[in-house]
Amino acid sequence: MYENIKATAAWLRERMPSRPTTAIILGTGLGRLAEEIEITLAIDYKDIPHFPVSTVEGHSGRLLLGKLGDKEILAMQGRFHFYEGYSMKEVTFPVRVMYELGIKTLFVSNAAGGMNPSFKIGDLMVITDHINFFPEHPLHGKNFPTGPRFPDMHEAYDKELIAMADAIAAEKGVPLQHGVYVGTQGPTFETPAEYRMYRILGGDTVGMSTVPEVIVARHCGIRVFGISVVTDLGGFDVPVEVSHEDVQKAADAVQPVMADIMREMINRN
Ligand code: HPA
């Protein structure tokens, strides 16, 4: 696996006209930011050696290199989810490649169900911490030489970047929530009892991504900043019926604000 990661990084390096230190995973809620990137290189995942092969037709995704404002960035347009059938090693393969390419800071976004009773649909929540509920750990197995066997996780989400987000949001008059993201395997949305359980356990939002990538990024010493878009609500005394369409609609509505904050952060970082 490690040889494949190195081979993929070497293959990409040969084709990359610049050496960005910032990467972004354009999850739900951030797709539109891709349109603002002055693209210098775009490669379909299916054309990158050793990259996971997409299971969903028409959803192969692309790796983008280019400028966002004044900043050179590497962007993943589309991510790999565990529920699609990928192993955790496949889900996190691109993050390992990012590390080999010299990425120092990673920005991530996701759509998530809100369980904190003070949250509303359309809220943005800065992820201050997470709870890993995936059934397989991304660091399971032989340790990679990028980090220790037993990595520290006390500051998975960088405090300086969180403070920067708060400052930018205050300047723009955008309210930001803060909280704990629970990462689950999906693909079912939670039952009412499950939402309540995750709330009792300390979660503010719940979703089906992000945690694996963040764990691996931290194992590589990459700083991480993450935001959840609250696309539906579950838990105590709130409606729980939710569909993929609801999630998409709520995420789309808040895209411009989310993109605004991320763009500014990437340019100041
Ligand atoms: N649960 C899990 N994943 C999600 C949710 C949710 O309520 N909303 C968006 N992604």
Side-chain angles (χ1 to χ4, degrees), residues 85-133:
Y86 299 108
S87 70
M88 277 301 193
K89 293 280 180 299
E90 290 173 316
V91 168
T92 57
F93 187 91
V95 178
R96 294 229 170 256
V97 171
M98 284 177 189
Y99 167 76
E100 295 297 329
L101 291 174
I103 295 301
K104 307 275 185 245
T105 311
L106 176 64
F107 293 84
V108 293
S109 74
N110 58 54
M115 301 171 294
N116 182 320
S118 69
F119 288 4
K120 302 181 304 302
I121 289 177
D123 276 357
L124 296 177
M125 185 195 85
V126 172
I127 304 174
T128 55
D129 205 350
H130 72 221
I131 298 177
N132 180 14
F133 249 99

Side-chain angles (χ1 to χ4, degrees), residues 155-178:
E155 194 181 323
Y157 300 84
D158 191 86
K159 286 204 168 67
E160 271 181 34
L161 293 174
I162 292 172
M164 190 193 287
D166 288 338
I168 291 167
E171 282 168 30
K172 293 180 181 292
V174 174
L176 280 186
Q177 306 282 10
H178 291 77

